[in-house]
Amino acid sequence: LPCSRPSIPRCTACAAACACRPTSPPAWPLLPAASTLPPLIVMLGASRAMLPEAAIDLGCGVGLTTMALLHRGVRTTATDYEPEALRYVMENAARNGLPTPEVRCLDWREPPDDLVAPLVVGADLLYEKRNAEALAALPPTILARGGRAVLADPKRPWRHHFAEALA
């Protein structure tokens, strides 16, 4: 189906799956770990040397962590599997007077070669068992040499699968 939403850069798979949806904000809850990363980013950003120039926000949702990164001057690529989330991230940045983030639809099992940054962040990403292995394999492919990944999780049952996949 053609989509009348604003154009959002996204992968071929997402464009093929795109369908018009309501334009009202999503009724997505703020997941438990989503509120843990932004205060950390703001605190680290007080010393500009603690944050790199660029970051990738995995599973950005409506973009709370992306907003904190942008607020601290970090060029941020907001990623999500759902194209609709990316639209709301752009709207939230505009409403908050922040720079427009790059937005990318991302399937963790097939990351593009050109998606690389020195910081990768994500919160509450292990809400499904199938995410554990894909998420564990992702940081080495998208982290710049010497980079860091910071992932927050509210002790979901799948965290053990994630830890095993990292080993």
Side-chain angles (χ1 to χ4, degrees):
L1 297 171
C3 184
S4 61
R5 293 182 293 163
S7 176
I8 298 174
R10 51 185 170 251
C11 65
T12 306
C14 291
C18 184
C20 291
R21 295 184 186 178
T23 57
S24 61
W28 299 329
L30 188 59
L31 296 173
S35 61
T36 60
L37 285 179
L40 175 65
I41 290 163
V42 170
M43 181 182 70
L44 290 174
S47 168
R48 191 61 190 107
M50 297 293 292
L51 291 173
E53 291 183 23
I56 298 168
D57 184 3
L58 298 176
C60 64
V62 294
L64 187 59
T65 301
T66 297
M67 297 308 114
L69 288 162
L70 293 170
H71 177 71
R72 286 303 187 188
V74 178
R75 188 174 26 89
T76 306
T77 301
T79 69
D80 205 288
Y81 189 78
E82 291 292 330
E84 185 176 21
L86 303 175
R87 181 172 149 237
Y88 291 111
V89 168
M90 293 189 327
E91 287 179 12
N92 284 337
R95 287 180 183 168
N96 286 284
L98 296 168
T100 302
E102 178 182 352
V103 292
R104 305 272 300 259
C105 195
L106 179 63
D107 180 343
W108 298 341
R109 295 169 300 263
E110 298 179 24
D113 293 336
D114 65 339
L115 184 64
V116 177
L119 177 64
V120 174
V121 297
D124 220 325
L125 303 172
L126 296 172
Y127 48 86
E128 293 181 9
K129 182 179 179 180
R130 66 186 175 147
N131 291 353
E133 285 184 22
L135 181 59
L138 187 60
T141 66
I142 63 174
L143 268 175
R145 180 179 219 112
R148 287 182 258 171
V150 180
L151 305 176
D153 181 75
K155 298 185 179 179
R156 295 222 183 246
W158 315 122
R159 72 185 184 281
H160 301 295
H161 297 281
F162 175 72
E164 289 171 9
L166 284 176

